[in-house]
Amino acid sequence: MSEQPLNPSTAAAPGDDAADTAPAGSTPTGPTAAGSTAADVAAADEAAALRAASFERARRLRMEPRFPGGPAADPAGSHHERRIRSFQPRRSRVTTGQQDALERLWPKWGLDIDGQRVLDLADLFDGLPVVLEIGFGMGEATAQMAADDPGTGILAVDVHTPGQGNLLGLADKADSTNVRVANGDAVILLREMLAPESLDGLRVYFPDPWPKARHHKRRLIQPEFLDLVAPVLRPGAVVHCATDWEPYAEQMLDVLTAHPRFENTAADSGYAPRPAFRPLTRFEGQGLDKGHVVHDLLFARV
């Protein structure tokens, strides 16, 4: 219950000086707690309330999708625990074409990774075998692979809104109906939204290498990640990684080789030649121009 002001008509308590009882409508002259007047306290409370309201408005804006009906800003919300992540969401400028693709095609080909349901991939892809691609950038390579192989569904995961819109637009332009774009954390997708042995492959092309030693814990390809991947892959399904960062390639090879659920398909148990189905991406071309060596790794689930 809130504290009520003293009724000015009430008599002073025994032992009180009647002169200390302020008349109605007067302003107290004595200091309140910490030397502040009642007016100071009220002003401070009002300022704090305004700051809290401003913070809440900003928080809600961050949570709202940039495009109504489009990808959510934080699809899993507070449903999941705080942990180290391998990605950082980026808020880049969305072009008119990307915005148009998001508004038209997200309701049909997009989904949020909210961790609240298990996906029916057979229904989502009309019975096609499905490979999961984690991190597709602007989507050029993904769109080309989808167009070149219409008999395979591609569930493409990323958090970059312009890239999501670009991939949807490219797929629409090529009349490719075998692409679905998933927005959010791939770890939540693997852990909570995919049925056992529901995938026919996994593609991780040029993930962030997190080159600083203190950031290596953020790299995606880790033993714990492969523990999540193995159960959702069918036996024989291939994990295909590619990177132009030599130390990360070595880590990928070590981690995949050590995992009991995966077997290297390369004859020499090392790196594999680039498969014909993986396009040469713009990013890869830039790396090759700088003298980088690109390594492909193909491991089958056993």
Side-chain angles (χ1 to χ4, degrees):
M1 179 180 294
S2 61
E3 187 173 327
Q4 299 298 319
L6 181 66
N7 187 330
S9 64
T10 303
D16 287 345
D17 188 344
D20 289 340
T21 304
S26 68
T27 302
T29 57
T32 59
S36 299
T37 66
D40 292 335
V41 173
D45 289 346
E46 182 179 3
L50 289 173
R51 287 194 300 271
S54 177
F55 177 82
E56 178 63 17
R57 284 195 298 270
R59 187 190 69 81
R60 289 183 179 180
L61 284 174
R62 289 194 301 270
M63 297 290 290
E64 291 174 356
R66 299 177 71 180
F67 309 100
D74 185 13
S78 60
H79 175 61
H80 293 278
E81 77 285 357
R82 293 173 61 87
R83 57 180 168 77
I84 295 171
R85 286 174 167 76
S86 64
F87 64 90
Q88 290 181 325
R90 295 169 290 160
R91 281 297 184 100
S92 304
R93 187 179 67 88
V94 175
T95 67
T96 301
Q98 294 161 1
Q99 178 175 345
D100 174 71
L102 285 166
E103 292 175 347
R104 289 188 301 107
L105 302 170
W106 187 263
K108 180 169 62 171
W109 290 343
L111 63 97
D112 282 319
I113 300 173
D114 56 13
Q116 302 288 350
R117 66 197 189 283
V118 176
L119 299 176
D120 185 344
L121 296 184
D123 179 66
L124 195 62
F125 287 92
D126 298 322
L128 295 176
V130 178
V131 298
L132 173 65
E133 182 176 359
I134 299 177
F136 55 80
M138 294 305 292
E140 296 99 334
T142 306
Q144 184 174 334
M145 289 187 289
D148 291 345
D149 184 12
T152 297
I154 300 178
L155 179 58
V157 180
D158 210 305
V159 295
H160 189 220
T161 309
Q164 294 167 346
N166 203 58
L167 175 55
L168 289 170
L170 291 171
D172 186 47
K173 185 177 181 180
D175 293 324
S176 298
T177 60
N178 56 328
V179 177
R180 301 294 181 270
V181 178
N183 169 56
D185 190 340
V187 168
I188 295 174
L189 176 71
L190 289 164
R191 190 175 64 197
E192 303 190 27
M193 297 182 66
L194 293 175
E197 298 187 0
S198 59
L199 292 176
D200 287 85
L202 170 67
R203 298 168 180 171
V204 184
Y205 299 154
F206 305 99
D208 194 325
W210 295 101
K212 294 181 180 179
R214 68 177 185 271
H215 291 155
H216 286 180
K217 60 190 176 183
R218 295 184 179 274
R219 288 177 172 174
L220 182 63
I221 306 303
Q222 308 273 5
E224 298 80 6
F225 174 75
L226 296 179
D227 289 341
L228 292 176
V229 169
V232 300
L233 291 176
R234 302 184 199 279
V238 171
V239 173
H240 182 191
C241 302
T243 181
D244 66 338
W245 192 259
E246 186 80 25
Y248 197 8
E250 294 170 356
Q251 177 184 326
M252 289 178 175
L253 183 60
D254 290 344
V255 170
L256 282 160
T257 299
H259 201 284
R261 302 292 298 276
F262 296 98
E263 184 176 79
N264 199 336
T265 65
D268 61 355
S269 298
Y271 302 114
R274 178 174 66 88
F277 67 80
R278 183 176 75 75
L280 185 68
T281 67
R282 180 177 57 182
F283 177 85
E284 183 177 0
Q286 292 171 350
L288 293 172
D289 290 342
K290 296 175 183 177
H292 295 183
V293 176
V294 175
H295 292 293
D296 284 76
L297 302 93
L298 288 92
F299 279 70
R301 196 275 219 188
V302 295

